[in-house]
Protein backbone atom coordinates (compact mmCIF):
# COMPACT_ATOMS: atom_id res chain seq x y z
CA UNK A 1 0.00 0.00 0.00
CA UNK A 2 1.57 3.30 -1.11
CA UNK A 3 0.38 6.84 -0.42
CA UNK A 4 1.41 9.88 -2.47
CA UNK A 5 2.52 11.67 0.70
CA UNK A 6 5.24 9.01 1.05
CA UNK A 7 6.92 9.99 -2.22
CA UNK A 8 10.66 10.31 -1.71
CA UNK A 9 10.79 7.83 1.16
CA UNK A 10 12.48 4.44 0.87
CA UNK A 11 9.87 1.69 0.61
CA UNK A 12 9.67 -1.10 3.15
CA UNK A 13 7.39 -3.26 5.25
CA UNK A 14 6.23 -0.09 7.02
CA UNK A 15 3.99 0.62 4.02
CA UNK A 16 2.02 -2.62 4.46
CA UNK A 17 1.85 -2.75 8.26
CA UNK A 18 2.01 -0.29 11.14
CA UNK A 19 5.76 -0.24 11.71
CA UNK A 20 7.28 3.15 12.52
CA UNK A 21 10.61 1.55 13.43
CA UNK A 22 11.07 0.09 9.95
CA UNK A 23 10.27 3.48 8.40
CA UNK A 24 12.87 5.23 10.54
CA UNK A 25 15.57 2.62 10.02
CA UNK A 26 15.22 2.84 6.25
CA UNK A 27 14.88 6.60 5.97
CA UNK A 28 16.80 8.46 8.66
CA UNK A 29 20.14 10.11 7.91
CA UNK A 30 22.84 9.71 10.55
CA UNK A 31 24.68 13.00 11.14
CA UNK A 32 28.28 13.15 12.34
CA UNK A 33 29.04 16.78 11.49
CA UNK A 34 29.20 19.85 13.72
CA UNK A 35 26.52 22.35 14.75
CA UNK A 36 27.54 25.16 12.39
CA UNK A 37 24.45 24.60 10.23
CA UNK A 38 22.06 25.63 13.04
CA UNK A 39 19.94 28.79 12.80
CA UNK A 40 18.83 31.11 15.57
CA UNK A 41 15.33 32.14 16.55
CA UNK A 42 13.33 34.07 13.95
CA UNK A 43 11.63 37.37 14.86
CA UNK A 44 8.30 35.51 14.80
CA UNK A 45 9.59 32.96 17.31
CA UNK A 46 11.06 35.67 19.52
CA UNK A 47 7.78 37.59 19.56
CA UNK A 48 5.75 34.50 20.41
CA UNK A 49 8.14 33.47 23.16
CA UNK A 50 7.92 36.94 24.75
CA UNK A 51 4.17 36.48 25.07
CA UNK A 52 4.68 33.03 26.59
CA UNK A 53 7.26 34.37 29.05
CA UNK A 54 4.79 37.08 30.12
CA UNK A 55 2.20 34.38 30.76
CA UNK A 56 4.72 32.37 32.78
CA UNK A 57 5.49 35.44 34.90
CA UNK A 58 1.78 36.03 35.50
CA UNK A 59 1.34 32.38 36.44
CA UNK A 60 4.07 32.71 39.06
CA UNK A 61 2.42 35.85 40.44
CA UNK A 62 -0.78 33.84 40.88
CA UNK A 63 1.04 31.29 43.01
CA UNK A 64 1.84 28.77 40.29
CA UNK A 65 -1.61 28.33 38.72
CA UNK A 66 -2.99 31.01 36.40
CA UNK A 67 -6.53 29.68 35.96
CA UNK A 68 -8.62 26.53 36.37
CA UNK A 69 -11.78 25.56 34.53
CA UNK A 70 -13.68 23.84 37.32
CA UNK A 71 -16.84 23.13 35.34
CA UNK A 72 -15.49 21.28 32.29
CA UNK A 73 -14.08 17.76 32.38
CA UNK A 74 -11.01 17.67 30.16
CA UNK A 75 -11.40 15.63 26.99
CA UNK A 76 -10.42 15.76 23.34
CA UNK A 77 -13.40 17.87 22.25
CA UNK A 78 -14.70 19.52 25.43
CA UNK A 79 -12.87 22.81 24.76
CA UNK A 80 -13.06 25.19 21.84
CA UNK A 81 -9.72 25.80 20.07
CA UNK A 82 -7.14 27.72 22.09
CA UNK A 83 -4.29 29.90 20.82
CA UNK A 84 -1.34 31.86 22.18
CA UNK A 85 -1.18 34.19 19.17
CA UNK A 86 -3.00 32.57 16.27
CA UNK A 87 -1.54 34.62 13.42
CA UNK A 88 2.02 34.00 14.60
CA UNK A 89 1.75 30.33 15.56
CA UNK A 90 2.87 27.54 13.25
CA UNK A 91 1.93 24.48 15.33
CA UNK A 92 -1.54 24.69 16.84
CA UNK A 93 -3.38 23.23 19.81
CA UNK A 94 -3.78 23.78 23.56
CA UNK A 95 -5.17 21.59 26.32
CA UNK A 96 -7.96 24.09 27.03
CA UNK A 97 -9.28 27.20 25.28
CA UNK A 98 -6.61 29.50 26.76
CA UNK A 99 -2.88 29.10 27.37
CA UNK A 100 -1.97 27.94 30.90
CA UNK A 101 -5.61 27.43 31.88
CA UNK A 102 -5.81 24.05 33.58
CA UNK A 103 -8.62 21.59 33.12
CA UNK A 104 -9.90 19.03 35.60
CA UNK A 105 -9.54 15.31 35.07
CA UNK A 106 -11.59 13.45 37.71
CA UNK A 107 -11.08 10.10 35.96
CA UNK A 108 -7.81 9.85 37.87
CA UNK A 109 -9.36 10.66 41.23
CA UNK A 110 -12.05 13.03 42.49
CA UNK A 111 -10.47 13.72 45.88
CA UNK A 112 -7.20 14.97 44.43
CA UNK A 113 -9.02 17.20 41.91
CA UNK A 114 -11.07 18.80 44.68
CA UNK A 115 -8.00 19.30 46.86
CA UNK A 116 -6.03 20.84 43.99
CA UNK A 117 -8.85 23.26 43.14
CA UNK A 118 -9.26 24.33 46.75
CA UNK A 119 -5.51 24.79 47.24
CA UNK A 120 -5.52 27.51 44.59
CA UNK A 121 -8.75 29.21 45.69
CA UNK A 122 -11.18 27.41 43.38
CA UNK A 123 -14.11 25.09 44.02
CA UNK A 124 -14.89 22.14 41.79
CA UNK A 125 -18.27 22.39 40.08
CA UNK A 126 -21.00 20.46 41.86
CA UNK A 127 -22.18 19.29 38.44
CA UNK A 128 -18.83 17.56 37.84
CA UNK A 129 -18.99 15.89 41.25
CA UNK A 130 -22.51 14.62 40.55
CA UNK A 131 -21.51 13.28 37.13
CA UNK A 132 -18.74 11.20 38.70
CA UNK A 133 -20.83 9.99 41.62
CA UNK A 134 -21.67 6.80 39.73
CA UNK A 135 -18.18 6.21 38.33
CA UNK A 136 -15.21 4.47 39.91
CA UNK A 137 -12.14 6.61 39.31
CA UNK A 138 -8.64 5.23 38.96
CA UNK A 139 -7.65 6.26 42.49
CA UNK A 140 -10.83 4.83 44.02
CA UNK A 141 -10.21 1.50 42.32
CA UNK A 142 -6.59 1.37 43.46
CA UNK A 143 -7.46 2.31 47.03
CA UNK A 144 -10.12 -0.39 47.23
CA UNK A 145 -7.50 -2.96 46.23
CA UNK A 146 -5.24 -2.10 49.17
CA UNK A 147 -5.13 -4.46 52.10
CA UNK A 148 -5.77 -3.12 55.62
CA UNK A 149 -2.03 -3.23 56.26
CA UNK A 150 -1.32 -1.15 53.14
CA UNK A 151 -3.89 1.46 54.16
CA UNK A 152 -2.37 1.72 57.63
CA UNK A 153 1.14 2.08 56.23
CA UNK A 154 -0.13 4.78 53.90
CA UNK A 155 -1.95 6.61 56.69
CA UNK A 156 1.18 6.63 58.86
CA UNK A 157 3.30 7.83 55.89
CA UNK A 158 5.53 4.77 56.14
CA UNK A 159 4.99 4.31 52.41
CA UNK A 160 4.66 7.28 50.07
CA UNK A 161 4.07 7.50 46.38
CA UNK A 162 1.47 4.77 46.24
CA UNK A 163 -0.55 4.43 43.00
CA UNK A 164 -3.62 6.19 44.41
CA UNK A 165 -1.55 9.35 44.93
CA UNK A 166 0.66 9.30 41.85
CA UNK A 167 -1.77 7.53 39.56
CA UNK A 168 -1.30 6.25 36.02
CA UNK A 169 2.51 6.13 36.19
CA UNK A 170 4.59 6.79 33.07
CA UNK A 171 2.57 6.79 29.86
CA UNK A 172 4.48 6.70 26.57
CA UNK A 173 2.48 6.55 23.35
CA UNK A 174 3.81 6.25 19.81
CA UNK A 175 2.35 9.54 18.65
CA UNK A 176 4.33 9.39 15.38
CA UNK A 177 1.91 6.84 13.96
CA UNK A 178 -0.68 9.53 13.31
CA UNK A 179 1.78 11.50 11.19
CA UNK A 180 3.09 8.52 9.21
CA UNK A 181 -0.21 6.78 8.52
CA UNK A 182 -3.07 9.15 9.26
CA UNK A 183 -5.95 8.34 11.58
CA UNK A 184 -8.08 6.47 9.02
CA UNK A 185 -5.36 3.85 8.48
CA UNK A 186 -4.99 3.40 12.24
CA UNK A 187 -8.75 2.96 12.63
CA UNK A 188 -8.75 0.44 9.79
CA UNK A 189 -6.06 -1.61 11.53
CA UNK A 190 -7.88 -1.44 14.89
CA UNK A 191 -11.05 -2.70 13.21
CA UNK A 192 -9.10 -5.64 11.78
CA UNK A 193 -7.69 -6.39 15.23
CA UNK A 194 -11.18 -6.29 16.69
CA UNK A 195 -12.64 -8.51 13.96
CA UNK A 196 -9.89 -11.09 14.53
CA UNK A 197 -11.19 -11.67 18.05
CA UNK A 198 -14.27 -13.37 16.60
CA UNK A 199 -12.19 -16.49 15.92
CA UNK A 200 -10.78 -16.64 19.43
CA UNK A 201 -12.15 -17.97 22.69
CA UNK A 202 -15.03 -15.98 24.18
CA UNK A 203 -13.36 -15.51 27.54
CA UNK A 204 -12.81 -12.65 30.00
CA UNK A 205 -9.47 -11.61 28.55
CA UNK A 206 -10.75 -11.36 24.96
CA UNK A 207 -13.98 -9.65 25.98
CA UNK A 208 -11.93 -7.02 27.82
CA UNK A 209 -9.65 -6.61 24.78
CA UNK A 210 -12.67 -6.28 22.50
CA UNK A 211 -14.00 -3.45 24.66
CA UNK A 212 -10.59 -1.74 24.70
CA UNK A 213 -10.37 -1.90 20.90
CA UNK A 214 -13.88 -0.48 20.61
CA UNK A 215 -12.85 2.50 22.73
CA UNK A 216 -9.56 2.94 20.85
CA UNK A 217 -11.48 3.17 17.58
CA UNK A 218 -13.92 5.66 19.10
CA UNK A 219 -11.18 7.87 20.49
CA UNK A 220 -9.24 7.87 17.22
CA UNK A 221 -12.43 9.32 15.78
CA UNK A 222 -12.48 11.96 18.52
CA UNK A 223 -8.86 12.76 17.65
CA UNK A 224 -9.94 13.59 14.09
CA UNK A 225 -12.72 15.78 15.47
CA UNK A 226 -10.30 17.66 17.72
CA UNK A 227 -7.93 18.34 14.82
CA UNK A 228 -10.86 19.46 12.64
CA UNK A 229 -11.75 22.05 15.27
CA UNK A 230 -8.37 23.64 14.51
CA UNK A 231 -8.96 23.35 10.77
CA UNK A 232 -6.85 20.26 10.06
CA UNK A 233 -7.77 16.97 8.39
CA UNK A 234 -5.50 14.31 9.89
CA UNK A 235 -7.27 11.36 8.30
CA UNK A 236 -4.33 10.74 5.95
CA UNK A 237 -0.52 10.75 6.27
CA UNK A 238 1.35 14.02 6.77
CA UNK A 239 2.49 15.53 3.49
CA UNK A 240 5.47 17.51 4.80
CA UNK A 241 7.51 18.30 7.93
CA UNK A 242 5.08 20.91 9.19
CA UNK A 243 2.20 18.45 9.00
CA UNK A 244 4.31 15.65 10.49
CA UNK A 245 5.03 17.79 13.54
CA UNK A 246 1.43 19.02 13.75
CA UNK A 247 -0.09 15.54 13.38
CA UNK A 248 2.29 14.14 16.01
CA UNK A 249 1.57 17.02 18.37
CA UNK A 250 -2.19 16.54 17.98
CA UNK A 251 -1.75 12.90 19.02
CA UNK A 252 0.27 13.93 22.09
CA UNK A 253 -2.19 16.72 22.88
CA UNK A 254 -5.05 14.23 22.80
CA UNK A 255 -3.18 12.07 25.32
CA UNK A 256 -2.62 14.90 27.81
CA UNK A 257 -6.20 16.09 27.46
CA UNK A 258 -7.44 12.62 28.44
CA UNK A 259 -4.72 11.43 30.82
CA UNK A 260 -2.84 13.11 33.66
CA UNK A 261 -0.24 10.42 34.21
CA UNK A 262 2.62 11.12 36.59
CA UNK A 263 4.87 11.25 33.50
CA UNK A 264 3.47 11.88 30.02
CA UNK A 265 6.57 11.13 27.98
CA UNK A 266 6.92 12.13 24.36
CA UNK A 267 9.11 9.20 23.31
CA UNK A 268 11.55 9.81 20.45
CA UNK A 269 10.28 12.22 17.82
CA UNK A 270 13.28 14.32 16.77
CA UNK A 271 14.81 11.58 14.59
CA UNK A 272 11.40 10.88 13.05
CA UNK A 273 10.84 14.57 12.24
CA UNK A 274 14.32 14.79 10.71
CA UNK A 275 13.27 12.48 7.89
CA UNK A 276 10.51 14.87 6.84
CA UNK A 277 12.65 17.96 7.35
CA UNK A 278 15.49 16.59 5.24
CA UNK A 279 13.04 15.74 2.43
CA UNK A 280 11.53 19.24 2.57
CA UNK A 281 14.94 20.95 2.56
CA UNK A 282 15.98 18.86 -0.44
CA UNK A 283 12.74 19.84 -2.22
CA UNK A 284 13.17 23.53 -1.43
CA UNK A 285 10.16 23.66 0.92
CA UNK A 286 12.18 24.46 4.04
CA UNK A 287 15.38 26.30 4.87
CA UNK A 288 17.46 25.68 7.98
CA UNK A 289 15.89 28.77 9.54
CA UNK A 290 12.31 27.63 8.93
CA UNK A 291 13.17 24.09 10.04
CA UNK A 292 14.39 25.44 13.39
CA UNK A 293 11.29 27.62 13.56
CA UNK A 294 9.07 24.54 13.29
CA UNK A 295 10.92 22.82 16.11
CA UNK A 296 10.83 25.97 18.23
CA UNK A 297 7.07 26.31 17.85
CA UNK A 298 6.59 22.64 18.67
CA UNK A 299 8.68 22.98 21.83
CA UNK A 300 6.77 26.13 22.85
CA UNK A 301 3.57 24.08 22.79
CA UNK A 302 5.16 21.45 25.02
CA UNK A 303 6.32 24.15 27.43
CA UNK A 304 2.81 25.47 28.03
CA UNK A 305 1.37 22.01 28.78
CA UNK A 306 -0.07 21.81 32.30
CA UNK A 307 -1.77 19.33 34.63
CA UNK A 308 -3.69 20.26 37.73
CA UNK A 309 -1.84 18.86 40.75
CA UNK A 310 -1.95 19.44 44.48
CA UNK A 311 0.82 21.72 45.87
CA UNK A 312 2.14 18.74 47.87
CA UNK A 313 2.63 16.78 44.67
CA UNK A 314 4.51 19.64 43.02
CA UNK A 315 6.67 20.24 46.09
CA UNK A 316 7.72 16.60 46.04
CA UNK A 317 9.38 17.21 42.67
CA UNK A 318 10.43 20.81 43.24
CA UNK A 319 8.39 22.11 40.32
CA UNK A 320 5.27 21.59 38.24
CA UNK A 321 6.21 18.43 36.36
CA UNK A 322 4.77 16.86 33.25
CA UNK A 323 7.93 14.84 32.41
CA UNK A 324 7.49 15.40 28.67
CA UNK A 325 10.59 13.36 27.94
CA UNK A 326 12.18 13.35 24.49
CA UNK A 327 14.96 10.82 23.89
CA UNK A 328 17.88 12.16 21.85
CA UNK A 329 20.91 10.32 20.54
CA UNK A 330 21.55 6.68 21.31
CA UNK A 331 22.89 3.77 19.30
CA UNK A 332 20.99 1.50 16.98
CA UNK A 333 21.26 -2.25 16.92
CA UNK A 334 22.89 -1.97 13.49
CA UNK A 335 25.79 0.08 14.89
CA UNK A 336 24.61 3.43 13.53
CA UNK A 337 23.93 6.29 15.90
CA UNK A 338 20.44 7.80 16.05
CA UNK A 339 21.94 11.30 15.98
CA UNK A 340 20.51 13.43 13.18
CA UNK A 341 20.59 17.13 12.38
CA UNK A 342 17.29 17.40 14.18
CA UNK A 343 18.92 16.07 17.35
CA UNK A 344 20.96 19.29 17.24
CA UNK A 345 17.86 21.37 16.48
CA UNK A 346 16.09 19.93 19.51
CA UNK A 347 19.04 20.86 21.73
CA UNK A 348 19.24 24.24 20.01
CA UNK A 349 15.87 25.25 21.45
CA UNK A 350 17.80 25.91 24.67
CA UNK A 351 19.43 28.81 22.83
CA UNK A 352 16.48 29.89 20.69
CA UNK A 353 13.85 29.81 23.46
CA UNK A 354 15.80 29.98 26.71
CA UNK A 355 15.77 27.50 29.58
CA UNK A 356 12.68 25.61 30.72
CA UNK A 357 11.82 22.43 32.62
CA UNK A 358 9.79 21.01 29.72
CA UNK A 359 10.31 19.16 27.57
CA UNK A 360 13.05 17.39 29.46
CA UNK A 361 15.63 15.76 27.26
CA UNK A 362 17.16 12.37 27.90
CA UNK A 363 20.43 11.95 26.04
CA UNK A 364 20.96 8.26 25.33
CA UNK A 365 24.70 8.28 25.80
CA UNK A 366 27.36 6.08 24.27
CA UNK A 367 31.06 6.60 23.74
CA UNK A 368 30.35 5.74 20.10
CA UNK A 369 28.21 8.85 19.58
CA UNK A 370 29.71 11.41 17.15
CA UNK A 371 32.31 13.59 18.86
CA UNK A 372 30.63 16.79 17.63
CA UNK A 373 27.35 15.76 19.20
CA UNK A 374 28.99 14.82 22.49
CA UNK A 375 30.74 18.19 22.57
CA UNK A 376 27.43 19.97 21.96
CA UNK A 377 25.78 18.05 24.79
CA UNK A 378 28.58 19.09 27.15
CA UNK A 379 27.98 22.75 26.24
CA UNK A 380 24.27 22.43 26.98
CA UNK A 381 24.99 20.79 30.32
CA UNK A 382 27.30 23.67 31.22
CA UNK A 383 24.56 26.18 30.42
CA UNK A 384 22.09 24.18 32.49
CA UNK A 385 24.46 24.16 35.48
CA UNK A 386 25.06 27.91 35.25
CA UNK A 387 21.37 28.64 34.84
CA UNK A 388 20.15 26.41 37.68
CA UNK A 389 21.77 28.62 40.31
CA UNK A 390 19.42 31.47 39.38
CA UNK A 391 16.09 29.61 39.37
CA UNK A 392 13.24 29.22 41.87
CA UNK A 393 11.21 26.09 42.52
CA UNK A 394 8.46 27.50 40.29
CA UNK A 395 10.76 27.58 37.28
CA UNK A 396 13.38 24.87 37.31
CA UNK A 397 16.05 24.71 34.59
CA UNK A 398 15.84 23.09 31.22
CA UNK A 399 16.43 19.44 31.94
CA UNK A 400 19.07 17.42 30.12
CA UNK A 401 19.59 13.95 31.55
CA UNK A 402 22.41 11.64 30.50
CA UNK A 403 21.45 7.97 30.36
CA UNK A 404 24.26 5.49 29.76
CA UNK A 405 22.97 2.60 27.66
CA UNK A 406 24.96 0.12 25.56
CA UNK A 407 22.16 -0.37 23.02
CA UNK A 408 18.76 1.29 22.69
CA UNK A 409 15.74 0.61 20.57
CA UNK A 410 16.63 2.13 17.17
CA UNK A 411 13.56 4.30 16.78
Amino acid sequence: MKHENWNGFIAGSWQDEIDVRNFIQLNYTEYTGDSDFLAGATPRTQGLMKKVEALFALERQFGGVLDIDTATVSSLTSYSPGYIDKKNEIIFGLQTNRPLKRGVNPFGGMRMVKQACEAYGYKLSRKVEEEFHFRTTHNDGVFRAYTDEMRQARKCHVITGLPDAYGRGRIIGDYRRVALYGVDRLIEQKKKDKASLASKAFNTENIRLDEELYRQIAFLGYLKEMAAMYGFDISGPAANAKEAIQWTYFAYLAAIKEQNGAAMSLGRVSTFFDIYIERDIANGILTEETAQELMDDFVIKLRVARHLRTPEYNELFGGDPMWITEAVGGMGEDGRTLVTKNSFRMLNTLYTLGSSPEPNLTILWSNSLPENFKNSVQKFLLIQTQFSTKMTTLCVPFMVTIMQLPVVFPQ
Side-chain angles (χ1 to χ4, degrees), residues 13 23 43 50 59 97 100 102 167 170 172 193 200 214 226 247 268 286 305 308 318 355 358 360 373 397-398 405:
S13 61
F23 168 75
K50 283 182 180 179
E59 183 181 53
N97 59 345
L100 304 187
R102 307 191 189 214
R170 179 177 290 273
I172 310 175
D193 293 342
K200 297 183 179 180
Y214 173 86
M226 183 193 76
W247 275 216
R268 182 201 288 277
L286 287 177
L308 178 62
S355 296
E358 303 285 3
N360 66 83
F373 180 72
F398 189 93
L405 290 176

Side-chain angles (χ1 to χ4, degrees), residues 260-279:
N260 61 343
M264 298 296 293
S265 294
L266 188 60
R268 182 201 288 277
V269 300
S270 53
T271 302
F272 175 75
F273 291 158
D274 187 77
I275 298 170
Y276 288 85
I277 291 173
E278 286 298 302
R279 186 180 66 167

Side-chain angles (χ1 to χ4, degrees), residues 89-238:
E89 291 177 78
I90 301 175
I91 305 302
F92 296 94
L94 296 175
Q95 284 168 284
T96 61
N97 59 345
R98 281 180 16 196
L100 304 187
K101 176 193 279 188
R102 307 191 189 214
V104 296
N105 193 326
F107 295 100
M110 180 60 69
R111 181 175 59 85
M112 291 190 68
V113 170
K114 291 175 65 177
Q115 289 177 345
C117 287
E118 291 167 3
Y120 296 104
Y122 292 80
K123 185 174 177 59
L124 184 64
S125 166
R126 186 173 182 83
K127 179 175 177 290
V128 173
E129 287 193 65
E130 291 173 350
E131 288 174 349
F132 277 78
H133 180 70
F134 301 101
R135 181 182 179 91
T136 298
T137 67
H138 169 91
N139 286 7
D140 289 339
V142 170
F143 196 79
R144 291 170 188 172
Y146 289 161
T147 64
D148 292 340
E149 185 179 27
M150 290 176 180
R151 290 194 185 95
Q152 192 62 38
R154 182 188 183 280
K155 185 177 180 180
C156 297
H157 305 291
V158 174
I159 301 175
T160 60
L162 292 172
D164 68 282
Y166 285 89
R168 284 77 63 208
R170 179 177 290 273
I171 300 173
I172 310 175
D174 191 351
Y175 308 108
R176 306 164 300 184
R177 293 182 180 186
V178 174
L180 183 56
Y181 296 104
V183 173
D184 284 356
R185 174 75 181 278
L186 300 180
I187 290 176
E188 177 188 341
Q189 184 59 52
K190 290 295 180 182
K191 287 182 176 179
K192 289 180 180 178
D193 293 342
K194 190 173 186 301
S196 69
L197 292 175
S199 62
K200 297 183 179 180
F202 194 68
N203 54 30
T204 301
E205 181 180 352
N206 286 331
I207 292 172
R208 183 181 293 115
L209 179 57
D210 189 86
E211 168 64 13
E212 289 177 358
L213 287 167
Y214 173 86
R215 290 182 63 79
Q216 289 171 18
I217 292 166
F219 274 80
L220 283 168
Y222 300 150
L223 174 57
K224 285 177 61 176
E225 290 180 27
M226 183 193 76
M229 293 167 67
Y230 283 94
F232 293 93
D233 178 6
I234 62 172
S235 58

Side-chain angles (χ1 to χ4, degrees), residues 200-345:
K200 297 183 179 180
F202 194 68
N203 54 30
T204 301
E205 181 180 352
N206 286 331
I207 292 172
R208 183 181 293 115
L209 179 57
D210 189 86
E211 168 64 13
E212 289 177 358
L213 287 167
Y214 173 86
R215 290 182 63 79
Q216 289 171 18
I217 292 166
F219 274 80
L220 283 168
Y222 300 150
L223 174 57
K224 285 177 61 176
E225 290 180 27
M226 183 193 76
M229 293 167 67
Y230 283 94
F232 293 93
D233 178 6
I234 62 172
S235 58
N240 50 50
K242 182 179 178 180
E243 288 190 356
I245 295 172
Q246 180 68 74
W247 275 216
T248 302
Y249 173 66
F250 273 145
Y252 181 74
L253 179 63
I256 61 175
K257 278 174 173 279
E258 287 287 336
Q259 300 284 340
N260 61 343
M264 298 296 293
S265 294
L266 188 60
R268 182 201 288 277
V269 300
S270 53
T271 302
F272 175 75
F273 291 158
D274 187 77
I275 298 170
Y276 288 85
I277 291 173
E278 286 298 302
R279 186 180 66 167
D280 283 2
I281 289 176
N283 291 335
I285 298 173
L286 287 177
T287 63
E288 188 53 49
E289 184 178 63
T290 53
Q292 184 65 54
E293 191 174 46
L294 280 174
M295 292 303 296
D296 288 346
D297 209 291
F298 172 63
V299 170
I300 287 173
K301 293 303 181 299
L302 299 178
R303 290 188 177 191
V304 299
R306 293 291 187 273
H307 279 321
L308 178 62
R309 311 286 199 192
T310 61
E312 293 79 10
Y313 182 96
N314 291 337
E315 288 170 6
L316 187 63
F317 294 102
D320 190 1
M322 289 275 291
W323 302 112
I324 307 173
T325 304
E326 158 69 1
V328 181
M331 298 297 299
E333 294 173 342
D334 59 3
R336 291 184 296 165
T337 75
L338 273 293
V339 174
T340 64
K341 282 189 173 182
N342 213 38
S343 304
F344 283 85
R345 294 188 194 101

